[in-house]
Amino acid sequence: MLCFHFPLPFYHFLLIIIITIIQPYYFVACVPQQYGNKTLVEFLPGFDGPLPFHLETGYIGVGESEEVQLFYYFVKSESDPRKDPILIWLTGGPGCSSITGLLYEIGPLAFAQKTFNGSLPILVSAPYSWTKFASIIFLDQPLNTGFSITSTSKCTDDLQASNYVYEFLLKWFDDHTEFISNPFYVSGDSYSGIIIPVIVQLISDGNEAANKQLINIKGYTLGNPATFPEEKNYQIPFSHGMGLIPDELYESLKENCKGDYQNISPTNELCVQYLTMFKKLVSGIYDLHILEPLCGLDSPNQQQLFGERRSLGEDFVTLKNDDSICQESRVAKLELSFYWANNPKVQEVLHVIKLYKILF
């Protein structure tokens, strides 16, 4: 994982699911503002020569008066876009821009260098892109994530965000009718594991209500997903299984905390004591990937997570250890997207709405 979206336990896995059971958990976020159209992008600052794939960017309005303008990147399959699957990619957070999926995870581009050197970061082709066999819509959501904006100051929650994505898809396919029969998947990682099942259910219900196939939904894929609030209870069994804590401490935690390490009564002094010992033992470990160095996790704009705009600012990580190991880490590489996406020439080529500096 390259975007620090959701504070998952000490593990990484890919989970592929083709079911549509819905149990949303709500997250509230507020924000601020306005419009655009689709554009074919043939050149990108930082990439040498014309792009070797079809890239389209644009805005689609959702909401009662289209007051929410959702920004997307669309990359056609490099094989047979007429028949290949099409998927929408939703990065987690909540509030991380889908540019992380485009440039760090499954897209056709990647940064050439590992750290920022003061100039515009260089882009190169990514050899293992999913666009080799599928067309992908990378969507900035919820509202005011990345380049997506709204003209109101209203708040949204997970259910509203899911409805906006569904409305976006209906309008996107209405404008791209050549893809309406392609197999379609909803995909994403981290916190999007909460909203993706809801979106799939909305698509399924919409097809049934219309008595026709509005979207050719085939399933959904989740990478390292958030699934339920009690996930963090599994940090301790995982830590024990990986040899990070001794058997004696693990047994004491199990006996005194009864498997619940989040809702602890202050009167349960032994549980509190052993949990404090546990946290001290793992405090120097990078919990998103225990085999990599701990180079810092805090965003300089963390206070905005529950306030105004949320975007790659929540991915932009401050290095805490200024040494050669951290300068070569994936954490340092995240800084590149901040400088690239905020470059005026990049924003001009992508045809984004310029209202103020985006906290990528």
Side-chain angles (χ1 to χ4, degrees):
M1 283 268 300
L2 293 161
C3 173
F4 308 115
H5 317 140
F6 189 83
L8 294 175
F10 301 150
Y11 46 80
H12 253 108
F13 56 88
L14 178 64
L15 181 62
I16 306 297
I17 306 178
I18 316 275
I19 52 179
T20 58
I21 298 175
I22 309 305
Q23 262 189 330
Y25 296 92
Y26 297 102
F27 180 95
V28 177
C30 298
V31 269
Q33 233 158 11
Q34 191 149 234
Y35 310 165
N37 268 316
K38 63 181 180 181
T39 302
L40 178 62
V41 179
E42 298 181 280
F43 295 86
L44 278 177
F47 188 84
D48 186 18
L51 295 176
F53 53 83
H54 176 102
L55 172 63
E56 170 189 308
T57 64
Y59 286 90
I60 289 182
V62 297
E64 289 184 18
S65 57
E66 297 194 343
E67 68 277 7
V68 175
Q69 294 287 317
L70 295 180
F71 181 81
Y72 69 91
Y73 311 80
F74 173 58
V75 182
K76 279 187 181 179
S77 170
E78 298 171 57
S79 296
D80 188 354
R82 296 172 303 169
K83 298 180 181 179
D84 286 344
I86 181 169
L87 60 90
I88 186 169
W89 181 265
L90 308 175
T91 301
C96 287
S97 170
S98 67
I99 203 172
T100 59
L102 178 68
L103 300 180
Y104 291 110
E105 297 173 322
I106 65 169
L109 295 172
F111 288 114
Q113 69 259 46
K114 292 184 178 180
T115 56
F116 181 63
N117 59 15
S119 60
L120 182 69
I122 302 300
L123 292 170
V124 294
S125 293
Y128 305 113
S129 171
W130 287 16
T131 57
K132 299 293 183 184
F133 57 83
S135 298
I136 306 178
I137 306 165
F138 296 91
L139 180 64
D140 278 350
Q141 66 77 45
L143 73 173
N144 271 52
T145 290
F147 294 123
S148 291
I149 53 180
T150 178
S151 59
T152 73
S153 59
K154 69 177 183 178
C155 300
T156 187
D157 58 27
D158 289 337
L159 189 56
Q160 182 64 72
S162 302
N163 276 289
Y164 282 155
V165 174
Y166 176 54
E167 183 181 349
F168 168 89
L169 287 171
L170 290 176
K171 292 181 176 179
W172 191 91
F173 276 109
D174 189 52
D175 193 44
H176 298 77
T177 54
E178 66 272 28
F179 295 105
I180 198 66
S181 62
N182 292 54
F184 180 73
Y185 296 85
V186 185
S187 302
D189 58 5
S190 193
Y191 193 85
S192 65
I194 299 296
I195 69 167
I196 283 178
V198 183
I199 295 167
V200 173
Q201 190 68 58
L202 289 170
I203 294 172
S204 178
D205 291 346
N207 286 347
E208 185 175 346
N211 200 27
K212 65 178 181 179
Q213 180 180 284
L214 301 176
I215 299 174
N216 188 19
I217 185 71
K218 294 298 182 183
Y220 62 95
T221 66
L222 299 176
N224 197 26
T227 54
F228 60 99
E230 291 75 25
E231 280 185 339
K232 293 198 75 172
N233 282 329
Y234 294 94
Q235 282 188 344
I236 288 174
F238 178 84
S239 299
H240 176 250
M242 296 301 292
L244 302 179
I245 60 175
D247 295 341
E248 295 81 4
L249 176 58
Y250 178 56
E251 294 301 328
S252 297
L253 282 162
K254 278 201 308 180
E255 180 180 349
N256 292 282
C257 301
K258 310 301 181 186
D260 186 355
Y261 307 109
Q262 295 188 87
N263 306 303
I264 304 167
S265 171
T267 61
N268 190 345
E269 295 180 3
L270 284 176
C271 178
V272 172
Q273 175 186 332
Y274 290 126
L275 193 60
T276 301
M277 292 174 60
F278 164 76
K279 290 179 179 179
K280 186 174 182 179
L281 281 175
V282 300
S283 61
I285 294 174
Y286 178 27
D287 62 351
L288 295 179
H289 198 311
I290 66 170
L291 300 180
E292 294 191 0
L294 178 62
C295 294
L297 299 174
D298 297 329
S299 164
N301 301 299
Q302 184 129 24
Q303 71 276 12
Q304 296 186 3
L305 184 58
F306 298 101
E308 297 179 353
R309 126 166 252 117
R310 297 158 302 136
S311 61
L312 278 184
E314 273 62 67
D315 308 338
F316 180 31
V317 180
T318 302
L319 300 183
K320 293 183 176 176
N321 298 325
D322 187 19
D323 54 38
S324 59
I325 294 177
C326 284
Q327 293 301 326
E328 294 293 312
S329 71
R330 74 171 78 195
V331 174
K333 198 166 186 178
L334 282 169
E335 190 178 13
L336 298 172
S337 59
F338 176 89
Y339 294 104
W340 187 83
N342 267 312
N343 183 280
K345 291 183 179 179
V346 170
Q347 294 187 7
E348 181 180 355
V349 168
L350 294 176
H351 286 252
V352 303
I353 300 165
K354 294 185 179 179
L355 294 175
Y356 39 75
K357 186 178 180 68
I358 307 295
L359 290 174
F360 276 88

